[in-house]
Structure formats: structure tokens, C-alpha cells
Amino acid sequence: MLKHMSNSPFSFAMSRHIWEAKYRYHEGDVVRDSSIEDTWRRIATALAGLEAGTGADRQAQFYSVLEGFKFLPGGRIQAGAGTSHKVTLFNCFVMGVIEDSMDGIFDALKEGALTMQQGGGVGYDFSTLRPRGARAYSVGSVASGPVSFMRIWDSMCATILSTGSRRGAMMGTLRCDHPDIEEFFTAKQDPTQLRHFNLSVLVSDAFMQAVRDDESWPLLFPTAEHETGEEILPRVWSGGRTEVPCVVHRRVQARALWDRIMKATYDYAEPGVLFIDRINQCNNLYYREYISATNPCGEVPLPPYGACNLGSLNLVQFVRDPYTSKARLDMDALRAATPIAVRLLDNVIDASRFPLPQQAEQARATRRIGLGVTGLADALMMLGLHYGSAASLQLAAAAMQAICHTAYQASIALASEKGPFPAFDGEAYLQGAFVRALPEVLRDGIARHGIRNSHLTAIAPTGTISLLANNISSGLEPVFNADYTRRVLQHDGDYTEYRITDYAVARWRARGESNGALPPAYVDAQALAPGTHLAMQAALQPYVDQAISKTINVPQDCNFDDFRALYTLAYEQGLKGCTTFRPNPITGAVLYPDEADQGARCCGVDREAD
């Protein structure tokens, strides 16, 4: 039931439950955090303590942005910073390249298990594994294909209970030219298969062009040995940066394959699509990395052993005079909070443990962070702006631009103080597509001082930490519903049910003038046209140097042609990926307004990667 908590930062009983279950520090039977304020103080003190001579002042700064849920660090930071728990403070990792051998496969499996044991979600590109039926010449056997080995990962994930009551989440990717691509994107149509994976197809520019032109598309795989007469084509393959010879296993019509991918997504809400060439072209470290996987929710494309270090500025806490004619977003306060958040996340890199030495090396060499926003839809509602309107897109873009440019300026200042990230190559970095689009004053600063963090912005789904912050709208998603039932996983495996209200709606009703009605600018995800979802994602992408986790809600009666057109539009609008959800009897729904059940999505609130 809905409960308002008097004399507490928590407005709802569920928010307090989330804190107690996931983020409150217990050392054995001893409770170390007696209040959420103690949690904020623990985090601030631990991360400020890394800076000699500035401890008290820095601790006060960090506490000031944490207080009142103004800044929400990733869940692993909140759960682990300043504790004795032997856990990573990083939300998720992309794991190393899977070597196409039995030793390589099981070494990669072990690395994933160790990472999830410490609370990290993982992403893998399975494209390096030879297709089903291919000959393994060295042992005289026939390969069973990447999907067969993904089932082993799935079983491993099912047995590992990560920090608190959160189970590990996984992303699995496969190239659109891998011979097993059809088996991959249909695997989860069997409800017993790969339940702990999110699946995404790596879609290349060449494939999108072949779809447009209705051309033949080769499905191929690298080979050191081949039969006489087999067709060989050069490709830059996953795990490498130079072309290698690949044997063509068969050819399909690109448009027919694309339609099959789209139909699977239409009917089953998977796979997602990653526009992998764009991801690599826009990567600030294009000169030293080839990316072929993301974290489980897709907002951070990463190289092998790369890690997510995430945090979100809660926009509702920067709205002044909500629901009045003077309502405004305090951009000055947002800009003031951003450098503190950047510094806090930069310190996380030095404070964190890492499950594997390769992860520590990668994180410290590049010092990636991912600062984003949450509560966007609620902030718009409190400002009287309809989500998806021209004014809302303009304001959202302005807020993200302010955060992005301020974050880059803060990272330049940190580089002047502490040095740039070790892998910094000034000449090459300044030629990156995203960096070239920055204001000249920032580019000049990078040229003079370097930059502390290779990447600075990403927008995560923030489901759990948004519930913690009194059920604000998550990430840049629209409000799901004004009032609904949510189930939360307990430590013992059972669920507790809560009837909760959206934060902005609750604020409106608390004015006492609404008689239970909804705010004038209220709109929920189901009422928005799919193109409106895309428009919001596209409005913010120019100021996000990594990616955006966004689920485009599609009505059940959307026809297939219109659905397929969404992905073409996403590609044309410069997005790095696209994920849709169309409720139907097969997929269920993510949340139910009046029921306690949830669909079996990999990254639900009980085990998502924040």
C-alpha cells in the first residue's frame, strides 16, 4: 500500500524498502547506516578521503549533491563505497574477447562468474565463436555454435546471487553477418532459453545499405583453413582491428533477414539493435579501441574489460516553483552540481575493487565515467510541459547540453590538477567525431591541459535508484503510470508488493487542489506515439558521448510496417541503438497498473544493473 513517511526523506514505504534491501550498510548483524543520511555521509566520506588535504571540504561538497537525492550514483557505489564488502563499485562490465577454443570459452565463463559474484553485470560479444556445424580442424569435431555456449553462461548466471537481492544481468551480442544470426535472435522465443540475457544484434552500416538496396548479404566467419572453391571475403572481425579472411557460409537477402529481426522484436521484444559502426565512429577512443558489446542495458558501449561508472542528476530536484507560472529548471544549480558529480565519479575509479586485473587496467587507463539524468519526465510535468512537445524537447536538450559541456570543462580542470587519463593522445582525441563537435573553448582546454576522463556522459535506465528517490520517472523515460503496483524481490526470494504513485503526481496531489486529478501536463508512456519516444532520445544524443538506454513503448495494435519504420528512423536520426517493447500475450508487460505481476525481462528492477 502507499505510505507517506513523516519526518523522513522517503515519501513512500517502498523507497525505504529499496534502501534497506539494497543500499543500507550492514556489517554482519550490525547496522552501520541508521538513516539514509548516514548512507550519503558514508559515500561522501569514503570518496572524499582519496584526496589528501581536502577531506572535510570535499566531503561536504559530495554530501551536498547526494543529500535529498539530487545526485544518484550508480547502485554499486551506493551499496559498496565506504564498506568492508569486497565488491566492485562499477555497475557493469564488457568482458574480454572470447577465444574460439574450449579453454578460451571456459576461461571467459570463469571471468564472468567472478565479475557477477562481486555485483557487476556483464556484456559479451559471442561473434568470435564459430558457427554451428563448422569444422574444428584441430580436433576433428564439429562446432555447436555460439548459442549453445550462451546456455552455459545463462545457467551460471542463474546460480550466482549478486550483492544484496540483485541477480546478475547479461548482454549478449552477435554480428549481423555471423552465420548463426538467425538462431541467435530467435533463441529466446523458447521461454526456457537464455532468460538471464538481453540480446542485441550488431548492425553495420553496410547491412543497412544492403537492406535499402535489397541486396544479397553474406553470412561468414574468419578462417585460417578452408576448402577449395569456398568464397572468401575480407572483414574486420570482432576482437580485432584489421581485416582477416572470412569464408562465406551462405547468402541471404538483406531485407528478408532484417524483416526477420524486426518480426522477432515485434513479437518478442528482442533482440535490440546496436548500430555498431556508428558506435565505433563516435567513440572518443576510436584510435585505440574496437567496440562490439555494451553493458546489459545498452547505455555504455565498451571495449574488452571496459566498465560502467554511472551516476544521474535528478532533474526534479532542480525544478523551482513547480506547478506555478514561475516554474523553471534551475540551470545554474544544475551546472554547479555537475563538476561535483564528475569529481565524485572520477574518485570512484580509484576507490573501487575490480574482479579482474584487466578490468582495473582498462578503467584506470581511460577513466570513463557516465554522468546522465533521471526524473526527466517528472521534471517536465512539474514545469507544465507535455513530454514530447517541441518545448519539452528543447528544454531536455538544453539541460543535457549544460551537463555535457560543464562535465567536459570539469574534466579538463581535473586533468590540469591531477593529469589526463593515461591513454590520452591529444592529437588523436581532438579528431574524434564527438570531440570535434564540442565548443571551441572546450577543445582549446583539452589541447592545453588534456582531459581527465575519456568519456563523460551516458543515460542509464536508473530503475532501482529512481524508486529509491521516491519513485521519480526513470532516466529519460516517460512516466509509466500515475498509480501502479510494483513487486520487489526480497533476500529470501519472495516478493513484496507495493501500491505506489509517481513522484510528480504525488507532488501535485499534495497541493490539495486536485481532488485526485492528474497534473495538466501528465502523459504516460502508453499514450505517447512511438515516434515521440524516439524524438526525445534523438534530442539528447548529441550531448551524450556514450549511449542512451531507452525503451520505446509501442502499442499492441501498431502494424508491423510502422513498427519496422521506427528502426529505420532511429538509424536515420543518428541514434546508436534502438529497443522497443510491444505488450502482447507472449511478452506480457513490464509493469501492470492494477496487478502485482511483472514480465520476465532480464533487467527488471530486481536485478537490473543500477
Side-chain angles (χ1 to χ4, degrees), residues 7-54:
N7 302 317
S8 168
F10 297 115
S11 299
F12 303 106
M14 182 178 186
S15 299
R16 182 178 178 88
H17 169 86
I18 292 287
W19 169 65
E20 291 178 341
K22 293 180 176 287
Y23 306 125
R24 191 178 194 181
Y25 178 26
H26 297 79
E27 194 170 22
D29 294 332
V30 179
V31 177
R32 297 296 186 190
D33 290 349
S34 61
S35 65
I36 184 66
E37 290 86 355
D38 285 344
T39 301
W40 296 329
R41 194 170 295 109
R42 163 174 57 81
I43 298 166
T45 301
L47 297 177
L50 296 168
E51 303 194 45
T54 63

Side-chain angles (χ1 to χ4, degrees), residues 418-575:
K418 299 182 177 184
F421 65 91
F424 178 69
D425 177 334
E427 184 176 352
Y429 189 85
L430 284 165
Q431 292 306 308
F434 188 89
V435 177
R436 288 201 310 269
L438 291 172
E440 196 64 30
V441 65
L442 295 178
R443 291 174 46 77
D444 288 346
I446 293 169
R448 287 196 305 272
H449 304 292
I451 192 163
R452 181 68 171 169
N453 313 98
S454 68
H455 299 72
L456 284 131
T457 52
I459 299 179
T462 70
T464 309
I465 57 176
S466 292
L467 286 169
L468 172 75
N470 294 313
N471 195 32
I472 58 174
S473 57
S474 59
L476 55 57
E477 300 288 1
V479 172
F480 176 78
N481 210 296
D483 304 280
Y484 56 93
T485 299
R486 193 101 198 206
R487 297 199 308 166
V488 180
L489 188 66
Q490 306 279 349
H491 284 284
D492 60 8
D494 289 335
Y495 285 87
T496 297
E497 299 177 4
Y498 291 89
R499 182 75 175 171
I500 53 177
T501 298
D502 171 73
Y503 174 89
V505 172
R507 285 286 303 268
W508 169 258
R509 291 173 179 168
R511 292 159 51 92
E513 305 167 4
S514 66
N515 295 320
L518 297 173
Y522 175 85
V523 62
D524 59 44
Q526 293 73 27
L528 292 170
T532 303
H533 289 264
L534 265 184
M536 185 61 78
Q537 186 175 349
L540 272 63
Q541 185 63 73
Y543 309 110
V544 177
D545 60 23
Q546 294 171 88
I548 297 170
S549 178
K550 176 80 182 76
T551 298
I552 298 168
N553 295 84
V554 177
Q556 186 169 348
D557 60 359
C558 176
N559 72 61
F560 178 68
D561 288 343
D562 290 344
F563 177 87
R564 179 177 50 194
L566 285 171
Y567 284 78
T568 303
L569 182 60
Y571 181 73
E572 292 171 347
Q573 289 186 338
L575 300 183

